[in-house]
Structures are given as C-alpha cells and as structure tokens.
C-alpha cells in the first residue's frame, strides 16, 4: 500500500476535499485560511508522490514542492494580514458578514 | 537487533502500517480542523495534520521536504495563524454557528470532488515504478541552485513582497493617500 | 455680366438678415433696408433680364450661367452624388425675373403704407425679403437641387406670411394647411429629382435636358409626372388647390406677391423650364392639360358665389393658373409664359386693389358689406377696373392677348376639349370679375355706417404701386404680345422652346386674323361681352363716362340661385364643391383613424416589445442580483460547483 502511487493520490484527494469543505462551510475567515493551507498541503503531497514514483519527475518535484511551500508562506502572511485589516474595519471575523460587495 | 520488513508473524509490511496510521492521523486531524467549534483547537489540530504530512513525506523518501514542512508549516505558518486567531478572537466572539447556511452544499461538493479524484486516480494506469525513489538532499540542492535558480530568486522576491505587504496591510492606521480603495 | 447674377438673390438675403437682426430695435425704419434691397435687386435683375431677352452676349439664345462653388462634392457620397451652386439665366428666366422683381418691388413699396400700423412690420419685411431671395433662387438655379431648395424656401415663406397674424387662429390653421398640402406636391418633386439622378447621374438642368432623350420612356413619364406633381402642389392645381383660398388669411400684399403673382407661378415656370422633359412624355402633357383646364373651370365656378373679395380673387388665380397649365399641356409654352406674365401683373394689381379697398373700409372683406365705393376711393377704383378688364379678356388689354393665344393654340393643336372648356371659363371669368366690381364699387353702399364716414383713399405709397401696376396690366399685351404669336415675347422665348416644339410635331401655323384665329378671338370676345353685360344686369354698373348705369338686382340673383337645378349648382359653388369637407372626411377623419391605429400599434406592439424586453431584463436583473450576495464563500461555492461540472463533463467525454 505504501508503495502504490494510487494510495497517496487518493489520500491527497481526500485531504483536498476536506480543505474544500472547510473553505466553503466555515464562517470564520481564519478557518477558511487554514482550509486553504490544507488544500495546499494536499497539492504538495500530490507533487511529492509523483516525484517519488515517477522517474522523470524525480527531484524536480521536490524543488517544485519547496517553491509551493514558500508561496504558501507568502500567501499565509498576506492573507492573515488582510483578515486582520478587515477585522479592524468590521469588528467581526465572520466572513458571511463581509457582504458590502452586494450593495 | 533490527526489526524486520514486516510486522512480526504477519505479511503486513511496517511501511504500510506506518502509512495507514499517518493517513488516519492526517485525515482525522484535518477533519477536526474544519469541523471543530473552538478555533484555537482547530489551529492545534492543523499542526497535527501538518506533522502527519511530514511523516508521509518521510515515507515518500523525502527527508528535506519533511524537515521543511515542519519548519515552515508548523514553525511559521501555524504560529502565524495562532497569532491571528488571538488577535481577532474577542471575548464575545460569536461561536454560535460554526458553519455557513450553505455548508451542506459544500459538503456534497467536497464529497463529489473526492469521488471524482479517487475515481480518476483509480481508473488511471500510471507508468509507476512501483517503488519509492529516495530523494537525496544534495540532488535537490544541485537542482535548486542550478537549473531552478531563477524561480528560487523569484520566490525570494515574492517573500520579500509578501512581508512588506503583510506589514502594510496589518498596520493599524493605513497612511493617508497611499491606500487604494477602488 | 454673369458675375452680376449672384447679386440678384443676395441683395434681398442681406436685407432679410439686416432687417431680421435690426428690425426689432428700429421698428419705425424697419422697411427701409428691405425696400432698398429689393429695389437694388430689381435694378440688377432688370439689366440682366434685358440683356438676356435681347439675346445679347454672354447670354445669347441658349442662356448663360455661373457656377459659384461646389455645393456637394462628388466624393462625399458613395454614388458620387454631387451638386454645384450655380445660377443660370436664359430668356425664360429673364421673363420670370422681370415679373418677380418688378411686382416684388411694388409690393414692398405698397406694404410700407399697408403695414404702417402693424407692430410686427419689421418681421413682415424680413419675411418678404426672405421670400424674394427664395423665389429668385428658385428662378435662377441651374440645377434641380437648388431649385428644390428655393422651392422649399418659398413654401416656408408662404407659411410664415400666411400665418403672419398668428394670434388669429384661422391664420395659423391656414398656414399649416398650406404647408401640409404643399408637402404632398413637394414629395413628388423630390422623388422626381431622385429619379432624375438615378437615370442620368446629374442634376444640372441643361445637362439633364440635353440627355433626357436617352432615358427609358417609362422613366420619362414617371419623371414628368413627379415633377408635375410638385408643380400641382405649388401652383395649387386640382386636387391640391385647397390651400390657396385659405392662404388669403395672410396680409393682402402677401396674397398679391406670393399667392397671385410669383410663388404660385413657380409650378408653371418649372413645367415650362422642364419643357424637354414634358415634351418627351406627351402622355403627361395630356394630364397637365386636363388638370389645368379642369382646375380652371372648377375654380371659376366657385368664384361665382364667394362673397369674400380676396377669396374671389384667389379662386380667380386658381382658374388662371389652370389656364396656364392647360396652355403648357397643349404645347403652347410661350402662351403660358405670356399669360403668367400678364396674369402676374393684373392679378397682383387686383390683389393690391383689394387690399386698398379692405384698408379703406377698415378691414372688412365681405363684399356684401361694400358697394358704392367708386366715388370714395377713385384711384383704387380706376386701377381695379383696369385690372378687371384685363383679366376678363377685353381687347386690347393684357389678358385678352394671352388668353386668346392660349385658346387659339389649344384649338389649333387639336385639343378641342381644352378649347371648349377654356372658352366657357373665359366667359365665367368676365362674369365673376364684374360681379366683384359691381358688388364692391357700384350700386348702393352697404358699408357699416360707423365705418362709412371715414372711408378714405389709401396713402400714396399704396396708390403709387397701383398705378404703376395698372400700366403693364393694360399695355403688356400690346407691348410684347402683338402681333399675336409673333410678338416680342415670342421672339424672346423662341430659342427656349424651339426644340421641344419641333419634336412635338405641332407646326407653328402662322397667325391668321382673317381665318380661324380671328374667328376664335371674335367668338371669345363676344362671349366675354355677353358675360360682362349679364354681370352688369345682375350686380349693377356705374360708369358715367360711358353712360352706363344700372342698379343691382339682388332679388333676381336670389331667385335665380333658388331655381330648380340651379340651386344645386349654386350650393355646390358656394361650398367650394365640398372639397374641404371631402378632404376633412378623407384625411382628417379616416386618415386620423389610420394614424390612431398606427399610433396604437406603435405604442402597444412596437413600444410594447421594446419595453417588454426592457422590463423582463430589468426584472430578471432585480431577481438575479440576489445571486450576487457579495459573500466570498458563495462565489467559492460557485467555483467548486463549476469545477465539478467541468470535471464531470470531461470525465464523461473521456469515458465515452
């Protein structure tokens, strides 16, 4: 099982779905950001799995994953800063109350 | 004495056991992240899921990635998230409803996506080697600072920009005239 | 020489602009610029006209023109449509120039006195000048588009001047009626111009005439008919004649200038100018003759019973215009222009006289409230008598020669029916004119006693033009129409119509007084004499110099008009043969219903469709905007669902 690409990919898919659900369902902005992290992790897992099992992608996948991690870090920084800025304005972390775009 | 390749008295390989345990930990903690009421605990569960994933990276023969996962995700991003939680969470924070009204639609969508991915993966025949290839850190270093040096530098610029952006956005009083509200 | 041409229309235009701009500030001197502008224009026009009539260089026999500038350049339109601003003078134009500028000038002078007390007279003179400019443009234009521009401008001036006393409802309505009825004819004219363009690719008149033979015959007929349609509208021929009598709502100088002497002649001028076009379509010539002579007898019969002095003259104008068209129709081009000129002078004179009469009796226009004015306003009376004799066709005044020539040519060119009707109309004309004279000047006075004591002769600025107009009204026939059919006018105009007459096959038989021509002339004169005597018998006469004295017999008139058979005719005539009622029924009532239906269709179906689309869109938007909640996660859900759909579709395609 641990030597089958399929199991890693399915695991990644499940993780991604959980992240998706979290992003769509949670009301808290920070929860949504955490869900995004989960989804990014799922993607990373996919990349690493392919790198481990597919000879042409070997090592390349690791580099790509590293870059993804760096980008994720940047995204988290900016994302959280935005959440904090909005929170200061709206006095609430709940995303469904951020509806000024509908006006 | 070295332990064998398999679980004693069975044909079950240690690798498989480890994989299953880590996968259960990963998915379980991830589920907790998206379902728990208390957002602090959500953050802690997220750390657990990150750690499990680091283990899986080790299983995939990639110790550098596992180390990076621990350093960046657990050491930096998780802490950042916990800080944000503490900054935004007030005493009277509404914990009454964790989920959106559209949560069930999101759940259905997530399940369908999972099904589609799983179905696609299982019905596809990958040209797999059938065994995990060990990834040496030195190989990664060679490639990262050789072939991929330009993306590497781009990422460093991105990180700098992100730091500057984060500082600007999170400042208490945005400097007048510099904000762009349009 | 041709460089003088632009001056002729530009002088009145300048007068119009200056009077229009300054008139309000200097109301007492408003007429000065306008009158002097027209006088100057008259001088220039006279020089030009005399040169052209004498066939002197540079005009020669074929005329000469000047192109001022390119009006519409050929590269402006995909089909190369172009027109130039050009003026052209040949003997025909010269004749019109004389009539238009001379009568125009006299009317301007006359208006000084007539409009002396009107507060809006600066406006009046501005309009008159604008009219002069428009009419001269129309006459001088060398291409159809410019003719059309002048054509519309005179229509506009006519509208403005008929409605000059616009606070009076009847004047405003009459102006509108004239404008709308004219529009019908103008539409035809415009279509005719377009047809000319499509067939020949040019609008220059001389070029069109030179190449008109190459146009297919159906198109020749169509173009001739359409142009005639315009002429019918402008010259108030049946069935578009209804506007002219109502146009008498305007000030009397306007009636004299526009609605008797110049503008209504534009149609005659146009047909005569387009003689190569009409000559190429003999079928249309018959139509022209028929409509002309029918209008002549129709209008004459209406003039019998009208009591408004100006309306009698208006119907008389219609009738005489009908003569002119009949003349054109039978191929007697020169006779038509001859009648146009003589009619212009004596009808202008009659109208100015009627204005003088109305002026003297304090604005009264009903002849039943006049009578016995001969001694009180002698100059007006004398000049009007001259005009009446002239129009009645008593030799040797102008009307005799021109009318006799028309009838003679109709007879000799084989249009016996035209001659027969025209012969009757000649008698009718004499009768109604002397009825007018009898009711107005002779017999006992029926003037309102309050007005009676201050009846006065008009000021010199009014009587002067009357005398000046009476001279050509009396002598023009002898001067340019004698000897018949070889007179001066014939020599002048011969080159203009020569080729058309030659093509028509009507040989110009020599005038033979001791033959058919003399017999016709004597017959007509005899009929006219009988008609005049009849009119004297019924409506009175009082010419002491000739020993003529008769009292009017209104009882006999009444008895006669009530007699079986005649009463229907009388009623028909009195009610103008119900044309206004028919038009009202046909166009105002039924047309109004059609318009209402169209309006309903437009409102409910067309607008309904458009508005419906708008409403549905707006409604859908109002409902669909709820989709745009502004919440990030709703959008994210959309992304997720879209992803699912796309993936599912992709998988479906892959599996299939």
């Amino acid at each position: 099982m641990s030597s089958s690409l399929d199991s890693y990919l399915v695991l990644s898919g499940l993780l991604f779905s959980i992240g998706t659900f979290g992003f769509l369902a949670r009301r808290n902005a920070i929860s949504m950001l955490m869900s995004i992290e989960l989804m990014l992790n799922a993607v990373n897992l996919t990349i690493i799995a392919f790198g481990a099992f597919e000879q042409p992608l070997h090592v390349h996948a690791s580099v790509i994953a590293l870059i993804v991690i760096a980008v994720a870090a940047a995204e988290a920084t900016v994302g959280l800063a935005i959440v904090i800025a909005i929170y200061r304005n709206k006095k609430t972390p709940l995303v469904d109350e951020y509806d000024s775009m509908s006006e | 004495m070295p332990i064998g390749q398999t679980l004693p008295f069975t044909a079950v390989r240690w690798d498989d056991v480890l994989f299953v345990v880590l996968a259960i930990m990963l998915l379980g903690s991830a589920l907790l992240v998206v379902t728990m009421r208390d957002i602090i605990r959500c953050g802690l569960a997220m750390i657990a899921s990150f750690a499990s994933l680091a283990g899986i990276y080790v299983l995939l023969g990639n110790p550098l990635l596992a180390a990076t996962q621990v350093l960046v995700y657990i050491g930096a991003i998780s802490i950042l998230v916990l800080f944000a939680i503490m900054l935004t969470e007030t005493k009277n924070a509404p914990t009454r409803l964790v989920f959106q009204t559209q949560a069930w639609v999101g759940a259905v969508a997530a399940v369908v996506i999972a099904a589609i991915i799983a179905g696609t993966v299982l019905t596809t025949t990958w040209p797999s080697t059938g065994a995990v290839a060990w990834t040496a850190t030195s190989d990664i270093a060679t490639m990262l600072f050789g072939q991929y040096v330009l993306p590497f530098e781009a990422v460093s610029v991105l990180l700098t920009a992100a730091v500057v952006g984060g500082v600007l956005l999170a400042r208490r009083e945005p400097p007048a005239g510099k904000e762009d509200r349009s | 020489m041709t460089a003088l041409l632009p001056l002729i229309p530009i002088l009145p235009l300048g007068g119009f602009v200056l009077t229009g701009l300054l008139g309000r500030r200097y109301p007492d001197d408003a007429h000065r610029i306008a009158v002097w502008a027209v006088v100057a224009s008259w001088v220039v026009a006279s020089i030009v006209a005399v040169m052209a009539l004498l066939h002197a260089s540079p005009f020669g026999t074929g005329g000469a023109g000047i192109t001022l500038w390119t009006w519409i350049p050929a590269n402006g339109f995909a089909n190369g449509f172009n027109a130039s601003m050009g003026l052209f003078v040949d003997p025909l134009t010269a004749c019109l120039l004389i009539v238009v500028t001379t009568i125009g000038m006299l009317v301007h002078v006359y208006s000084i006195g007539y409009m002396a007390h009107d507060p809006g007279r600066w406006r009046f003179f501005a309009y008159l000048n604008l009219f002069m400019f428009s009419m001269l443009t129309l006459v001088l234009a060398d291409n159809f588009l410019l003719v059309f521009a002048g054509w519309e401008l005179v229509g506009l001036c006519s509208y403005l001047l008929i409605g000059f006393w616009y606070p009076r409802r009847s004047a405003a309505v009459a102006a509108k009626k004239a404008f709308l009825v004219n529009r019908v004819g103008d539409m035809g004219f415009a279509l005719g111009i377009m047809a000319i363009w499509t067939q020949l690719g040019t609008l220059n008149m001389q070029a069109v005439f030179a190449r008109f033979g190459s146009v297919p015959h159906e198109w020749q007929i169509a173009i001739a008919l359409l142009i005639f349609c315009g002429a019918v509208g402008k010259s108030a021929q049946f069935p578009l004649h209804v506007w002219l009598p109502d146009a008498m709502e305007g000030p009397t100088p306007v009636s004299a200038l526009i609605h008797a002497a110049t503008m209504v002649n534009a149609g005659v001028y146009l047909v005569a100018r387009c003689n190569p076009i009409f000559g190429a379509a003999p079928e249309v010539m018959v139509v022209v003759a028929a409509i002309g002579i029918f209008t002549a007898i129709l209008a004459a019969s209406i003039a019998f019973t009208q009591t408004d002095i100006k309306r009698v003259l208006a119907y008389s104008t219609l009738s005489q215009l009908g003569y002119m068209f009949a003349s054109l129709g039978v191929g007697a081009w020169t006779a038509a222009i001859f009648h146009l000129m003589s009619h212009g002078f004596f009808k202008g004179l009659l109208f100015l006289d009627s204005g003088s009469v109305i002026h003297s009796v304090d604005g009264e226009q009903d002849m039943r409230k006049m009578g016995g004015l001969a001694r009180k306003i002698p100059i007006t009376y004398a000049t009007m008598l001259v005009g009446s004799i002239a129009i009645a066709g008593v030799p040797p005044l102008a009307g005799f020669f021109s009318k006799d020539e028309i009838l003679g040519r109709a007879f000799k060119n084989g249009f016996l029916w035209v001659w027969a009707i025209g012969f009757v109309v000649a008698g009718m004309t004499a009768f109604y004119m002397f009825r007018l004279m009898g009711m107005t000047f002779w017999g006992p006075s029926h003037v309102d006693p309050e007005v009676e004591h201050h009846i006065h002769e008009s000021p010199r600025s009014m009587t002067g033009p009357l005398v000046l107009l009476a001279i050509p009204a009396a002598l023009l026939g002898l001067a340019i129409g004698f000897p018949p059919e070889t007179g001066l006018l014939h020599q002048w105009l011969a080159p203009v119509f020569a080729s058309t007459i030659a093509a028509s096959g009507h040989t110009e038989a020599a005038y033979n007084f001791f033959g058919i021509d003399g017999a016709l002339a004597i017959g007509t004169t005899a009929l006219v004499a009988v008609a005049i005597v009849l009119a004297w018998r019924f409506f009175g006469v009082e010419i002491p110099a000739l020993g003529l004295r008769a009292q009017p017999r209104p009882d006999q008139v009444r008895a006669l008009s009530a007699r079986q058979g005649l009463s229907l005719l009388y009623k028909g005539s009195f009610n103008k043969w119900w044309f206004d009622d028919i038009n009202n029924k046909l166009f105002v009532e039924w047309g109004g219903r059609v318009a209402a239906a169209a309006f309903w269709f437009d409102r409910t179906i067309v607008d309904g469709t458009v508005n419906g689309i708008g409403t549905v869109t707006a409604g859908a938007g109002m409902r669909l905007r709820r989709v745009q909640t502004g919440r990030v996660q709703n959008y994210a859900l959309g992304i997720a669902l879209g992803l699912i759909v796309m993936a599912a579709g992709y998988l479906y395609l892959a599996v299939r």
Side-chain angles (χ1 to χ4, degrees):
Chain A
M1 191 180 273
S2 65
S3 56
S4 155
L5 179 58
D6 285 1
S7 51
Y8 290 99
L9 292 179
V10 170
L11 178 65
S12 156
L14 290 174
L15 187 60
F16 187 84
S17 305
I18 291 169
T20 308
F21 168 73
F23 185 77
L24 293 179
R26 297 293 296 230
R27 298 178 75 205
N28 195 306
I30 293 172
S31 291
M32 287 170 68
L33 277 177
M34 292 196 287
S35 305
I36 291 174
E37 297 303 335
L38 290 181
M39 286 152 81
L40 280 167
N41 270 311
V43 172
N44 250 353
L45 175 56
T46 312
I47 293 169
I48 301 292
F50 273 115
F53 287 96
E54 305 293 335
Q55 188 51 43
L57 300 176
H58 193 224
V59 185
H60 291 273
S62 304
V63 175
I64 294 168
L66 280 172
I67 292 172
V68 169
I69 288 174
V71 172
E75 177 264 346
T77 314
V78 177
L80 287 168
I82 290 174
V83 168
I84 288 169
I86 296 178
Y87 176 79
R88 281 212 198 98
N89 271 329
K90 296 272 176 183
K91 307 293 178 221
T92 174
L94 299 182
V95 177
D96 51 2
E97 290 173 22
Y98 302 164
D99 57 357
S100 54
M101 248 166 69
S102 72
E103 287 154 14
Chain B
M1 137 199 139
I3 53 171
Q5 287 283 313
T6 59
L7 224 54
F9 318 116
T10 60
V12 181
R13 296 176 59 225
W14 278 110
D15 286 2
D16 292 348
V17 173
L18 210 50
F19 174 76
V20 169
V21 170
L22 285 171
I24 289 169
M25 276 177 64
L26 175 63
L27 294 179
S29 56
L31 272 175
L32 290 177
V33 168
V34 297
T35 52
M36 272 199 303
R37 245 179 126 76
D38 188 350
I39 193 156
I40 298 279
R41 296 189 191 182
C42 291
L44 295 175
M46 187 177 73
I47 291 171
S49 73
F50 288 161
S52 320
L53 197 57
I56 287 176
Y57 288 161
V58 173
L59 269 184
L60 281 168
N62 211 326
L64 180 71
L65 249 292
T68 314
Q69 175 83 2
V70 171
L71 283 172
V72 175
Y73 272 103
I74 300 176
I77 295 179
S78 298
I79 301 304
L80 204 59
V81 166
L82 288 174
F83 263 113
I85 290 169
M86 287 174 213
L87 277 171
T88 58
E89 203 69 4
T90 50
K91 282 280 185 286
N92 55 356
T95 48
R96 54 193 185 280
L97 275 172
V98 175
F99 294 117
Q100 290 274 0
T101 44
Q102 64 169 14
W104 63 274
V105 190
V108 170
V111 170
V112 172
I113 287 173
I116 286 175
I117 291 173
T120 313
V121 165
L122 294 177
T123 52
T124 310
T125 312
W126 306 101
S128 173
T129 53
V132 170
W134 182 266
T135 308
T137 305
S138 56
D139 291 346
I140 296 175
T142 310
M143 200 162 271
L144 188 59
F145 299 113
Q147 193 177 344
Y148 283 95
V149 71
L150 206 60
F152 176 81
E153 293 299 338
V155 165
S156 65
V157 172
L158 174 72
L159 284 170
T160 314
V163 168
V164 173
V167 169
L168 262 178
L169 280 167
R171 258 163 67 168
R172 200 162 287 276
E173 285 297 321
K178 283 204 177 176
E179 58 187 326
D180 187 10
R181 285 191 186 277
S182 61
Chain C
M1 192 69 204
T2 51
L4 283 176
L5 296 187
L7 272 182
I8 302 173
I10 282 173
L11 283 166
L13 180 65
F16 160 67
V17 171
L18 286 176
T19 311
L21 289 176
L22 303 174
R24 190 194 286 271
R25 191 167 301 173
Y26 306 104
D28 294 337
D29 299 311
H31 59 272
R32 293 189 198 281
I33 298 170
V35 171
W36 284 113
V38 174
V39 169
S41 177
W42 174 76
V43 171
V44 179
S46 299
I47 297 169
V48 169
V50 167
M51 298 291 285
L53 288 177
L54 295 178
H55 301 167
S57 172
F59 299 107
T61 54
I66 178 173
T67 302
L68 300 180
W69 69 83
T70 303
W71 186 9
I72 299 169
N75 56 10
F77 287 89
N79 62 359
F81 183 80
N82 66 86
S84 57
M85 188 66 80
L87 305 176
F88 179 83
V89 171
D90 70 353
L92 175 59
T93 312
C95 290
L96 265 290
L97 275 181
I98 291 175
V99 174
V100 171
T101 55
T102 308
I103 299 178
M105 178 181 69
L106 293 175
V107 166
H108 270 76
V109 174
Y110 177 92
S111 302
I112 299 172
Y114 190 84
M115 301 298 285
H117 309 299
D118 195 296
R121 65 197 205 116
W122 63 275
R123 202 159 52 86
F124 182 80
F125 279 102
Y127 289 164
L128 274 190
N129 262 4
L130 180 63
F131 171 77
M132 290 302 290
F133 161 72
S134 318
M135 189 69 204
L136 290 167
T137 307
L138 194 168
V139 169
L140 287 167
D142 78 340
N143 67 69
F144 280 103
L145 199 62
L146 194 54
V147 169
F148 189 70
W151 195 263
E152 294 300 318
L153 276 171
V154 292
L156 168 72
C157 296
S158 166
Y159 167 80
L160 291 171
L161 285 165
I162 295 170
F164 181 74
W165 287 316
Y166 54 84
R168 209 164 64 194
R169 184 174 154 69
S170 58
V173 170
K176 203 157 68 181
K177 182 175 179 181
F179 202 70
L180 289 177
V181 174
N182 263 302
R183 225 42 336 87
V184 178
D186 294 353
M187 185 67 203
F189 188 23
L191 287 174
I193 292 173
M194 295 175 204
I196 289 174
W197 172 263
T198 59
Q199 290 304 306
L200 289 168
T202 177
L203 290 181
N204 184 286
M205 285 188 156
Q206 302 307 315
V208 168
F209 297 155
R211 285 160 46 197
F212 198 71
S214 63
V215 176
H217 191 56
E218 315 83 66
W219 279 100
Q220 289 179 331
I221 293 176
I223 290 170
L225 267 179
L226 287 167
I227 289 178
F228 180 57
C229 184
V232 163
K234 196 58 83 192
S235 290
Q237 294 298 289
F238 172 83
L240 300 180
H241 64 276
V242 289
W243 68 268
L244 187 57
D246 285 12
M248 297 304 134
E249 289 289 342
T252 305
V254 171
S255 307
L257 177 62
I258 301 185
H259 304 123
T262 54
M263 186 186 87
V264 288
N265 288 337
V268 180
Y269 165 74
L270 185 70
V271 174
R273 166 60 74 206
C274 298
N275 65 80
I277 292 179
F278 284 87
E283 301 88 342
V284 181
M285 298 273 282
V286 177
V287 174
V288 174
I291 286 186
I293 204 68
F294 179 69
T295 310
I297 192 164
L298 179 85
S301 70
I302 297 174
F304 260 44
T305 55
Q306 298 302 306
T307 55
D308 185 316
I309 184 168
K310 284 178 72 181
R311 277 179 188 262
V312 173
L313 291 176
Y315 282 106
S316 164
T317 306
L318 286 179
S319 180
Q320 302 303 313
L321 287 166
Y323 260 126
M324 293 176 214
F325 277 104
S327 172
L328 295 168
V330 300
W333 307 98
T334 310
I337 298 301
F338 187 16
H339 200 53
L340 184 156
M341 293 181 75
S342 62
H343 173 258
F345 284 109
F346 63 63
K347 187 53 65 62
L349 170 65
L350 286 169
F351 263 113
L352 294 184
D353 276 322
S354 77
S356 181
V357 169
I358 294 165
H359 197 74
S360 69
V361 294
D362 211 21
E364 183 57 61
Q365 299 195 8
D366 192 337
M367 292 192 295
R368 288 170 299 192
K369 294 185 181 169
M370 296 178 186
L373 294 174
R375 279 144 296 168
K376 288 165 182 155
I377 44 175
I379 301 176
T380 307
Y381 163 65
T383 50
M384 191 148 191
L385 188 59
V386 171
S388 297
I389 298 173
I391 191 175
V394 174
L397 277 71
F400 166 75
F401 289 98
S402 55
K403 194 179 294 182
D404 189 57
E405 197 168 315
I406 291 173
L407 292 176
R409 296 278 354 147
F411 191 88
K412 286 191 284 185
N413 284 0
F415 291 85
L416 275 179
W417 50 280
V418 173
W419 171 82
I421 300 173
F423 180 72
V424 174
V425 173
M428 292 164 81
T429 307
F431 182 83
Y432 67 67
M433 281 316 298
F434 278 88
R435 168 178 176 270
L436 184 151
M437 290 299 292
M439 289 179 82
T440 310
F441 290 104
W442 300 322
S445 171
H446 301 288
V447 182
D448 198 331
E450 284 201 13
V451 182
E452 176 95 53
H453 65 271
H454 59 78
I455 294 177
H456 56 87
E457 183 58 278
S458 303
R460 201 172 294 167
S461 67
M462 287 167 72
T463 53
L466 294 182
V467 174
L468 288 177
L469 272 174
I471 295 167
L475 302 179
L476 188 75
L478 272 179
I480 63 172
F482 190 82
E485 301 201 4
T486 45
L488 269 179
L489 187 72
H490 283 263
Q491 294 168 23
W492 293 339
L493 291 179
V496 179
F497 302 120
S499 58
T500 308
I501 289 172
S504 71
H506 294 309
T507 48
E508 286 264 6
Y511 188 86
N512 184 3
F513 187 77
F514 299 103
I516 184 68
D517 294 296
L520 291 174
I522 291 170
T524 312
T525 311
L527 179 70
V528 165
V530 169
I532 292 174
V533 171
L534 265 180
W536 284 346
R537 181 167 147 43
F538 283 118
F539 299 100
V541 61
E542 211 170 316
I543 309 178
L546 299 177
L548 288 167
R549 193 177 295 272
Q551 282 302 308
R553 298 183 178 83
D555 47 328
Q556 284 195 5
V557 176
R558 226 170 289 131
L560 200 63
S561 60
R563 199 190 284 175
Q564 193 73 35
L566 282 180
S567 72
L568 184 70
L569 286 176
Y570 178 82
K571 272 187 207 154
S573 167
F574 191 76
N575 292 313
K576 307 152 202 165
W577 301 110
W578 300 283
F579 270 108
D580 283 331
D581 305 282
I582 292 169
N583 279 345
N584 193 48
K585 193 83 182 165
L586 205 61
F587 296 110
V588 178
E589 217 164 287
W590 296 349
R593 266 178 228 161
V594 173
F599 181 72
W600 174 87
F601 181 82
D602 186 58
R603 263 299 140 88
T604 46
I605 309 294
V606 178
D607 283 9
T609 311
V610 175
N611 291 341
I613 291 169
T615 313
V616 166
T617 311
M622 287 303 288
R623 282 172 187 82
L624 281 173
R625 69 180 278 229
R626 306 236 174 93
V627 172
Q628 297 292 326
T629 55
R631 292 180 187 162
V632 190
Q633 281 164 310
N634 293 125
Y635 302 145
L637 184 64
I639 295 172
L641 294 177
L643 171 73
I644 290 169
V645 169
M646 275 162 59
Y650 201 72
L651 283 178
Y652 171 75
L653 288 176
V655 170
R656 195 175 57 118

